[in-house]
Amino acid sequence: MTLAYSTLKFLSTPILHSLYQHEIIGLENIPQGPVIIASNHLAFCDSVFIPLALDRPINFLAKSDYFTTSGVKGRAMAKFFTSMGQLPMDRSGGVKSQESLARGLRVLEAGGILGIYPEGTRSPDGRGYRPKVGVARLALESGVSVVPVGQIGTDLVQPLGTNRPHLRNHGQKITIRTIFGKPLDFSSRSHEAHLFSVQREIADRVGVAIRELSGQEYVDVYADAVKKLMASDSLTAEQAVNRLCAECP
């Protein structure tokens, strides 16, 4: 745990607990030693409330944009996220994505906690989208358990379309629930780590476990594809989903 991480957590915990009701459920499900924390992703502050729930530090795989923005602001942002234990995750695929996953594996090899959002990006409309296979590759290659997490209420703190935090919802104090599920052990499948069909199966199982905790409706397309279509064609999330589903074989 870096000094910056421990200091910020020490200072922010009482402040955030005074502003929001944070209910933490299932901490007993987190094993000692290395573990992958796999959560749904409703808002940026998911990466705040999950660490608040844990006694041990967590390293999140965060989008690489946080580390590559140019200028003084970009350098300051990169330094901040690095000091907080965030790891750049390149989502373009190929060698760059493999290098990002390798950073996560090193955290697990050192006995740490690695956080990942299997959907790869924030939900565009609050629903649960098809998980990427990165979480499966990490679990299979490391042999460590995956603890699914359901985050509920963070989208009220930061509603869709804004990063500005809200303190109230209809005049009431906002309740955030961080629910840790039973660990999922895929170590018996490690010899099949190279098979995409196995990666797909395990990623889907993790996604199901997360949605059972979060109560989200499932959408069988990738969230980043929906967001790209929303931006390029000025569509709503529902319209983009419908178009993508119509194009599916």
Side-chain angles (χ1 to χ4, degrees):
M1 183 183 297
T2 66
L3 178 60
Y5 185 108
S6 58
T7 300
L8 185 60
K9 183 173 181 179
F10 175 79
L11 294 175
S12 63
T13 297
I15 296 172
L16 289 171
H17 284 174
S18 70
L19 296 174
Y20 305 103
Q21 181 71 31
H22 189 196
E23 297 180 359
I24 303 167
I25 302 167
L27 276 177
E28 68 278 4
N29 291 323
I30 302 176
Q32 296 297 315
V35 64
I36 298 167
I37 299 292
S39 176
N40 61 323
H41 198 14
L42 299 174
F44 176 82
C45 63
D46 291 316
S47 297
V48 174
F49 285 99
I50 292 174
L52 287 181
L54 299 171
D55 292 332
R56 297 161 57 196
I58 179 172
N59 294 94
F60 274 102
L61 287 171
K63 66 179 181 179
S64 56
D65 293 1
Y66 292 150
F67 302 85
T68 58
T69 303
S70 59
V72 175
K73 180 180 178 182
R75 290 193 296 273
M77 187 165 62
K79 185 174 182 180
F80 171 78
F81 282 107
T82 300
S83 68
M84 291 297 105
Q86 306 288 299
L87 305 172
M89 178 65 202
D90 191 301
R91 298 178 293 195
S92 61
V95 174
K96 290 184 177 180
S97 293
Q98 182 58 43
E99 290 173 350
S100 299
L101 292 176
R103 295 187 187 99
L105 287 171
R106 286 195 288 272
V107 170
L108 298 171
E109 289 168 359
I113 299 179
L114 181 68
I116 187 171
Y117 300 112
E119 293 167 82
T121 186
R122 283 174 272 183
S123 171
D125 59 2
R127 294 184 288 180
Y129 283 75
R130 181 189 298 166
K132 302 289 186 73
V133 298
V135 64
R137 291 175 60 187
L138 286 165
L140 290 167
E141 292 182 29
S142 68
V144 308
S145 298
V146 179
V147 171
V149 178
Q151 284 283 88
I152 301 172
T154 51
D155 54 335
L156 299 178
V157 177
Q158 291 175 299
L160 291 169
T162 179
N163 281 325
R164 183 176 62 86
H166 289 207
L167 299 179
R168 291 289 185 271
N169 180 46
H170 300 300
Q172 301 296 315
K173 192 173 186 178
I174 296 172
T175 296
I176 295 97
R177 293 182 177 87
T178 302
I179 308 172
F180 297 94
K182 298 289 186 182
L184 306 173
D185 183 2
F186 304 110
S187 58
S188 65
R189 309 289 298 276
S190 291
H191 64 288
E192 300 175 296
H194 62 289
L195 298 176
F196 182 80
S197 60
V198 174
Q199 297 172 14
R200 182 72 267 160
E201 174 195 341
I202 288 175
D204 288 339
R205 286 177 60 186
V206 172
V208 168
I210 291 171
R211 293 191 300 276
E212 287 177 348
L213 299 171
S214 68
Q216 291 169 286
E217 175 188 348
Y218 179 53
V219 184
D220 193 21
V221 295
Y222 292 117
D224 56 359
V226 171
K227 293 168 85 168
K228 287 177 183 176
L229 201 52
M230 290 171 67
S232 64
D233 292 17
S234 300
L235 302 178
T236 65
E238 186 64 32
Q239 290 170 334
V241 168
N242 289 339
R243 183 182 295 183
L244 289 168
C245 289
E247 295 172 354
C248 292

